[in-house]
Amino acid sequence: MHTPDSEKRHDDRPLATERTIPHSPPEDVLGVLTGTFLAALGLYLLQEAEAVTGGTAGLALLLTYATPLSFGWLFVLVNLPFFLLALWKKGWRFTLKTLVSVAIVSVFSEVNEFLLPVPDINPIYGVVAGNLLLGVALLIVFRHGSSLGGFNVLALIAQEQFHLRAGYVQMSLDLVVILLALTVMAPSGVVLSAAGAVVLNIVLAFNHRPGRYRA
């Protein structure tokens, strides 16, 4: 005999016929374009606030302060070694999507400088807004089978093979990069950048978890 409680528990369980519906190619294209646009905008705000973030994006930002090269070119260059790791561990499909995503971010970064001049920005606002945009951007590109290269690849591999949260892995690596910023930035700017990296990775840790989403 079924009681109301047992019926409720039965209804709360996922149906056996439910299955994951993969994204279609047009959805993947639009998702990657959206994610890379938001990532480039977030990085642009960080650059204008004279802050850094973690990962290869943070390394590229640091190098813009020490070299005459633009962020777009540096972002591609520092990601080159990680493409080999992605090819080895994640396969051609993921690596190709990541390569395209990194290239698009680089292009959008160059475009932002021309179309969105920011004469003055509050550093705290720039760091918080920039990292929130980056967090959302990473969630989008992850959901469409891509990444922004670099530490994203390491974080995803750690989550899939060692069951470590991608957000926490990324946070640890990002803090190392931000500490390197002490070589070219004032301590106050490094502290603010570190706080921003925590914001970014909390977004990832709370939202990018295996089994949480079906599509």
Side-chain angles (χ1 to χ4, degrees), residues 182-207:
L182 286 169
T183 60
V184 295
M185 294 175 60
S188 59
V190 175
V191 170
L192 184 57
S193 297
V198 171
V199 170
L200 186 159
N201 287 287
I202 284 176
V203 173
L204 289 181
F206 286 0
N207 293 281

Side-chain angles (χ1 to χ4, degrees), residues 6 23 41 146 148 191 201:
S6 65
H23 294 290
L41 182 58
S146 184
L148 296 184
V191 170
N201 287 287

Side-chain angles (χ1 to χ4, degrees), residues 4 24 31 45-46 50-51 76 98 104 115 125-126 131 135 140 156 166 191 195 199:
S24 66
L45 291 179
L46 288 172
E50 297 184 351
V76 173
T98 297
I104 295 174
L115 300 183
Y125 176 83
N131 280 287
I140 293 173
L156 288 174
V191 170
V199 170

